[in-house]
Amino acid sequence: MTYAITGDCCSDASCVSACPMNCIHPSPGEPGFGTTDGLFIDPRTCIDCGACAEVCPVDAAKPADQVTPAELAANAEYFADRPLLDGLDLDSWEPPRFDPWTGGPRRVAVVGAGPAGMYATRELLLRSTAEVTVYDRLPLVGGLARYGVAPDHPSTKRIVATFERVIAHPRVRWRPGVEVTELGTSYDAVVHAVGSYRSRLLGIPGEDGERSCTAAEVVAWYNGRPGGERLPVPLAGPRAVIVGNGNVALDLARLLVSDERRLAGIELPAAVRETLAESTIREIVLVGRRGPDAAAYTVSALRDLLGLEGVEVVVDADGRHDPLPESLRRERLDLATPPRPGRRVVLRFGTTPTAWDPAVGLATSSGVIEAGNLFTAIGFAGSPVHGLPFDEERGIVPNVGGAVLGRPGQYVTGWIKRGARGGIGANKACAEETVRTLLNASTGALAGGPEVSAALL
Amino acid sequence: MQDTDVTAQRLLTSAARLSRDPETEIDWDAPVGDGYGLSPEWSTLYATEYWDELTEAEQRELTRHESASIAATGIWFELILQQLILRDVYAVSPASPEFQWALTEIADECRHSIMFARASGRLVDAEYRPRLPARELGRMFKAVATGESAYAAILVAEEVLDVMQRDWMRDRRVEPLVRTVNHIHVVEESRHMVFARDETRQRLAGAGRVRRWTSALVIALAADMIVSSMVSREVYANVGLDVERAVRAARGNEHHRSLLRSSCANLMDFLGEVGLLTAPAARIYRRTGML
């Protein structure tokens, strides 16, 4: 018996440093860290001590008898072609890393209390004696971890509790419900962790028409995000199209095809559960412009979808020359006519949407898809931050290691720093880099640094 | 089986999978080199002016004495811990996994203490012990502490030591003997910490506010005692340093506090999660440099 890491892994690598046998990989700094679908435990060297499970912020490390066979196989598979690392040979471990104390800033403002801002705050508290003021537009801490993670992934949401403890630290001042508008002079440094909350658009005719909206708006609604209390469009059915095949698209698909029984097991606001249960949508077509090899979802998200009880998953294709699981059904469907009975998710690749007409459906490069709703989930883009330079093309604030170009004292972390890629845990390494840059640049409290003047909403 | 027994059974199986015997695993007759006693960055004087004035040989010697002093604190606490556990399982059924694991842990601690004692003797020609008030308080603590106070105090001591040792065992500058000793401790300690966390959670289930508040305070005071006992004043004297100046420099060493704080992050997370990070406790941890 060993431990194994499930698909809920946030990759923040807390477990890596807790393992006494060096059997969790890829570790930060190793090739593959941040790009593989989570972390894995080498069953050849795991001694079943459970230290990883103790520190996992999302409960993803579990005894092997408590994970699915697919997850167990995924852990073993990762190491199949990798040499056996002998935990007892201490020279096969990464050497420790020490960041010397630098004097540090006195007062730092962190704008944004999502995962990026919270990891940055935590790192600042550990590595400096700075007093940190955290601002957020919303009343509660957690950002996308609270308002973006699908409600049927409750263990991933558990990380919010970790963030709440960061906010409760005696050296933190928490300023919720504040829109930071202008920068002036009472902080030694400002870390902007504002994310990339603007949904990318398709740019096709009819996109802003009836029964069309972004997936992000629906996600905000079913997560009870302030400002997202109302479902932006009526759910029409019986078929809906979701353009995009990242994890957000898959989250939305899962929720929309869930029947009343499954919804009952998910923690949702009552009104949301009612609306979803009453919806007549029973078929979701996920449209991707490129092939399945370019699909943006993670392996574990696909596994989740395939594991849905009472829901058929079909790839709308003839061939089998794709990287999708063999067991997945391939079938040419006629999407121009109403769906056949049953609940279903259809994966449609190599299809470019060209226009939305609520009366007909979605016109695409390969024919019309009859549908009552269009949801777009093709990613997010950053918005310019007041007073900072902005790279329109990449949707980020241009920076070097987190330091904003040409703006001493101003730093960025998270999606606004590196673009809208990577899950919750990816923000840890990202925030650590930014804080390292910040502390190296700051050799003591600076006189007359930038100030955040904030307006109460 | 009760939750504690499930955990204990799992840990017993893990111990069967890999238990380490310093007696046979370490060649105690091999000559000891002149490596560092711990990662220099972990020295109480690192990053201070005093450190920069020392020659590299003096710095190395200092870390060897610091390492021996910390090991002595480790031994002292392991003795307390063995008695705490023994008292706690005195009336538990010998057939239960909880009982058997508890004795396995005592056996581990016993071996570790011998190992630390022997390794320190090989590393430096000096003897270290916590100062008298600490020893007397420890004597009292091992006799009266119960439930979550006992287990969380065990956790605090072991976890602080553990994170430092994880750095030292991976550090190629550190004397190979110290690296091996530390790894043996880290492997077995990871099981002990899982058990201590589990016991702490179980004992706290249903605890009222007053008890939680009191326990939190007791644990924080124990932590303060342990952390402040780690590097004794004699260390500086034995290396030939100006003791007053060294103690002053060590006390004001923010780099050291920042390393300690980072090391305690998981521990503080746990204490926060189970409600043992009350405001007075947090104040003590901040003073100690753990929060």
Side-chain angles (χ1 to χ4, degrees):
Chain A
M1 178 74 66
T2 59
Y3 272 70
I5 297 179
T6 68
D8 287 321
C9 176
C10 72
S11 297
D12 92 347
S14 306
C15 54
V16 171
S17 53
C19 175
M21 294 301 285
N22 197 18
C23 56
I24 305 181
H25 297 274
S27 57
E30 250 177 3
F33 180 76
T35 55
T36 47
D37 186 16
L39 305 177
F40 305 96
I41 296 180
D42 193 339
R44 299 169 298 180
T45 42
C46 172
I47 57 166
D48 202 17
C49 69
C52 51
E54 276 296 336
V55 298
C56 177
V58 295
D59 257 1
K62 290 195 166 104
D65 56 358
Q66 290 174 26
V67 307
T68 65
E71 287 168 334
L72 196 59
N75 277 266
E77 195 189 324
Y78 177 81
F79 294 99
D81 303 325
R82 285 181 170 76
L84 184 70
L85 267 187
D86 178 8
L88 299 184
D89 173 12
L90 295 172
D91 287 335
S92 68
W93 293 61
E94 289 262 303
R97 182 202 161 97
F98 299 100
D99 292 310
W101 167 257
T102 53
R106 206 166 31 85
R107 299 190 62 201
V108 180
V110 172
V111 186
M118 286 302 88
Y119 280 120
T121 304
R122 185 185 168 111
E123 192 66 7
L124 277 164
L125 293 172
L126 294 178
R127 300 245 297 107
S128 79
T129 39
E131 304 276 334
V132 185
T133 310
V134 179
Y135 296 92
D136 199 281
R137 292 181 300 149
L138 297 175
L140 295 170
V141 63
L144 277 183
R146 186 188 289 273
Y147 298 117
V149 170
D152 55 351
H153 279 171
S155 67
T156 306
K157 280 185 181 281
R158 283 175 54 116
I159 203 162
V160 173
T162 309
F163 299 151
E164 280 169 346
R165 282 194 293 277
V166 172
I167 276 298
H169 190 280
R171 269 191 285 135
V172 170
R173 287 201 307 160
W174 170 221
R175 296 283 175 271
V178 170
E179 184 91 55
V180 173
T181 49
E182 243 177 73
L183 303 169
T185 59
S186 65
Y187 292 99
D188 302 321
V190 181
V191 180
H192 302 269
V194 292
S196 305
Y197 47 85
R198 199 159 41 107
S199 291
R200 284 187 191 280
L201 297 174
L202 287 167
I204 58 168
E207 186 178 8
D208 50 4
E210 267 175 63
R211 299 203 302 277
S212 158
C213 69
T214 67
E217 290 173 276
V218 187
V219 169
W221 165 70
Y222 65 57
N223 273 313
R225 183 186 187 280
E229 289 85 355
R230 290 169 61 89
L231 180 60
V233 292
L235 300 177
R239 181 187 283 135
V241 177
I242 301 176
V243 179
N245 49 28
N247 284 0
V248 174
L250 264 56
D251 284 347
L252 183 55
R254 278 200 320 276
L255 264 293
L256 287 177
V257 292
S258 291
D259 56 16
E260 216 161 325
R261 246 189 61 216
R262 181 166 189 270
L263 288 169
I266 305 173
E267 197 171 313
L268 289 168
V272 170
R273 182 178 295 119
E274 221 164 277
T275 308
L276 285 174
E278 280 166 9
S279 144
T280 52
I281 295 178
R282 52 186 176 78
E283 181 172 296
I284 306 286
V285 180
L286 287 160
V287 170
R289 268 176 292 190
R290 290 182 292 168
D293 49 328
Y297 50 69
T298 56
V299 179
S300 58
L302 179 63
R303 219 159 39 210
D304 258 9
L305 187 67
L306 298 180
L308 282 182
E309 237 175 276
V311 176
E312 178 189 32
V313 181
V314 185
V315 186
D316 186 21
D318 323 293
R320 263 173 192 260
H321 311 288
D322 54 49
L324 293 163
E326 276 289 309
S327 55
L328 211 62
R329 201 154 115 218
R330 274 95 175 147
E331 185 186 351
R332 268 284 165 222
L333 296 172
D334 182 6
L335 299 175
T337 57
R340 59 172 189 240
R343 290 181 185 264
R344 192 173 304 104
V345 175
V346 180
L347 299 170
R348 175 72 166 284
F349 293 99
T351 300
T352 307
T354 50
W356 168 251
D357 178 350
V360 186
L362 184 70
T364 75
S365 56
S366 49
V368 171
I369 304 174
E370 189 203 81
N373 285 103
L374 171 68
F375 304 102
T376 53
I378 52 169
F380 297 87
S383 300
V385 177
H386 184 87
L388 299 186
F390 191 69
D391 180 338
E392 284 289 347
E393 203 165 307
R394 299 169 61 203
I396 61 166
V397 171
N399 67 90
V400 178
V404 179
L405 282 182
R407 297 286 195 284
Q410 304 278 354
Y411 299 85
V412 282
T413 189
W415 279 3
I416 195 67
K417 167 186 171 186
R418 57 180 208 278
R421 275 171 289 106
I424 293 173
N427 289 298
K428 190 174 180 209
C430 177
E432 281 169 5
E433 183 195 53
T434 295
V435 171
R436 204 177 306 133
T437 307
L438 188 162
L439 294 178
N440 287 344
S442 165
T443 50
L446 303 168
E451 178 184 350
V452 171
S453 69
L456 274 169
L457 281 180
Chain B
M1 261 199 281
Q2 290 194 329
D3 286 356
T4 307
D5 279 337
V6 173
T7 307
Q9 185 54 57
R10 186 170 282 289
L11 294 172
L12 278 169
T13 317
S14 169
R17 202 174 161 110
L18 181 69
S19 226
R20 305 186 62 177
D21 184 3
E23 209 49 55
T24 55
E25 239 184 281
I26 295 173
D27 177 4
W28 290 102
D29 297 324
V32 175
D34 63 352
Y36 283 89
L38 42 83
S39 300
E41 288 81 358
W42 267 107
S43 168
T44 51
L45 294 187
Y46 184 87
T48 65
E49 279 178 25
Y50 206 171
W51 175 265
D52 295 334
E53 290 171 21
L54 303 179
T55 65
E56 209 227 299
E58 286 171 319
Q59 293 174 349
R60 244 180 305 145
E61 194 58 16
L62 172 64
T63 62
R64 288 164 81 97
H65 280 266
E66 286 177 314
S67 180
S69 173
I70 292 171
T73 311
I75 293 170
W76 170 65
F77 200 78
E78 279 174 346
L79 295 178
I80 296 176
L81 188 155
Q82 290 178 51
Q83 287 191 284
L84 284 175
I85 295 179
L86 207 49
R87 276 182 43 228
D88 193 57
V89 297
Y90 187 76
V92 172
S93 160
S96 69
E98 185 184 6
F99 178 85
Q100 289 171 25
W101 169 256
L103 257 58
T104 305
E105 182 163 338
I106 292 173
D108 288 348
E109 298 299 358
C110 201
R111 280 198 314 272
H112 295 165
S113 292
I114 301 171
M115 169 178 82
F116 281 135
R118 283 180 87 171
S120 298
R122 305 230 52 197
L123 201 62
V124 297
D125 185 16
E127 281 171 29
Y128 292 106
R129 268 192 305 168
R131 39 186 216 285
L132 187 67
R135 292 209 305 269
E136 290 308 316
L137 279 170
R139 204 188 290 282
M140 192 184 75
F141 189 74
K142 67 113 216 296
V144 299
T146 53
E148 70 275 5
S149 304
Y151 280 102
I154 292 173
L155 186 67
V156 168
E158 297 291 3
E159 199 142 347
V160 173
L161 206 58
D162 179 74
V163 185
M164 297 181 185
Q165 292 183 333
R166 278 171 199 262
D167 281 346
W168 309 343
M169 75 189 197
R170 286 150 60 204
D171 197 329
R172 289 162 179 73
R173 296 166 300 177
V174 172
E175 183 58 36
L177 170 68
V178 178
R179 295 180 67 190
T180 309
V181 162
N182 285 337
H183 190 226
I184 291 177
H185 195 242
V186 161
V187 169
E188 302 195 323
E189 227 44 62
S190 61
R191 289 191 279 258
H192 297 181
M193 291 186 302
V194 167
F195 187 65
R197 282 174 174 229
D198 190 57
E199 288 281 356
T200 305
R201 277 194 202 97
Q202 304 291 337
R203 305 301 166 101
L204 275 172
R209 277 184 55 194
V210 175
R211 182 166 140 210
R212 211 176 280 263
W213 192 91
T214 317
S215 295
L217 195 63
V218 169
I219 296 157
L221 288 169
D224 186 25
M225 182 60 68
I226 294 154
V227 170
S228 60
S229 297
M230 279 195 177
V231 174
S232 108
R233 293 168 65 92
E234 284 86 70
V235 162
Y236 307 116
N238 288 340
V239 190
L241 302 186
D242 173 344
V243 175
E244 294 310 318
R245 187 182 166 202
V247 168
R248 230 178 11 254
R251 277 213 186 111
N253 189 349
E254 274 302 336
H255 162 77
H256 194 260
R257 291 167 74 87
S258 142
L259 270 190
L260 191 60
R261 208 159 46 226
S262 305
S263 306
C264 293
N266 283 338
L267 172 64
M268 292 300 141
D269 244 1
F270 172 76
L271 293 178
E273 179 197 317
V274 297
L276 289 175
L277 203 55
T278 56
R283 266 200 296 282
I284 295 172
Y285 290 122
R286 276 187 79 182
R287 198 183 64 202
T288 324
M290 295 167 79
L291 182 64

